[in-house]
Amino acid sequence: MTPLDDAPDGTDAPPTCSAKGCRDAAVWVLAWNNPKLHTPERRKTWLACAEHREHLSQFLGVRGFLKDVVKLDEWVQPEGSERV
């Protein structure tokens, strides 16, 4: 089981969007890292619904943090990555 399989409340609820206040089902994984804090291979993840994918991608992108955007059902979590 990966962190993307675990709902925050410990149930088997589907993963939800990471945007503040959004409880919609996640469709996308946004893999990122902060090069000032993380090793280059480390990936942290945010999840996004269709509506918030672009906004969250831009937020991470302008900071130089965004590394990849992948459909949730195609995501393979690298060793050492985590969902935040």
Side-chain angles (χ1 to χ4, degrees):
M1 191 176 274
T2 70
L4 295 180
D5 296 326
D6 298 331
D9 60 4
T11 67
D12 289 331
T16 58
C17 182
S18 298
K20 186 175 181 178
C22 184
R23 302 310 327 148
D24 290 346
V27 179
W28 298 95
V29 176
L30 286 68
W32 63 277
N33 84 5
N34 179 340
K36 292 182 180 179
L37 302 175
H38 308 124
T39 59
E41 66 279 351
R42 183 163 181 203
R43 293 293 179 266
K44 298 182 79 90
T45 58
W46 283 355
L47 302 179
C49 65
E51 180 181 348
H52 291 112
R53 174 188 172 204
E54 187 62 31
H55 171 75
L56 293 173
S57 293
Q58 286 179 356
F59 180 90
L60 293 168
V62 298
R63 290 158 178 80
F65 295 174
L66 187 62
K67 301 301 178 189
D68 204 4
V69 179
V70 180
K71 292 280 272 183
L72 179 61
D73 60 358
E74 297 172 5
W75 173 249
V76 176
Q77 185 167 334
E79 185 70 32
S81 65
E82 61 187 75
R83 178 180 174 201
V84 290

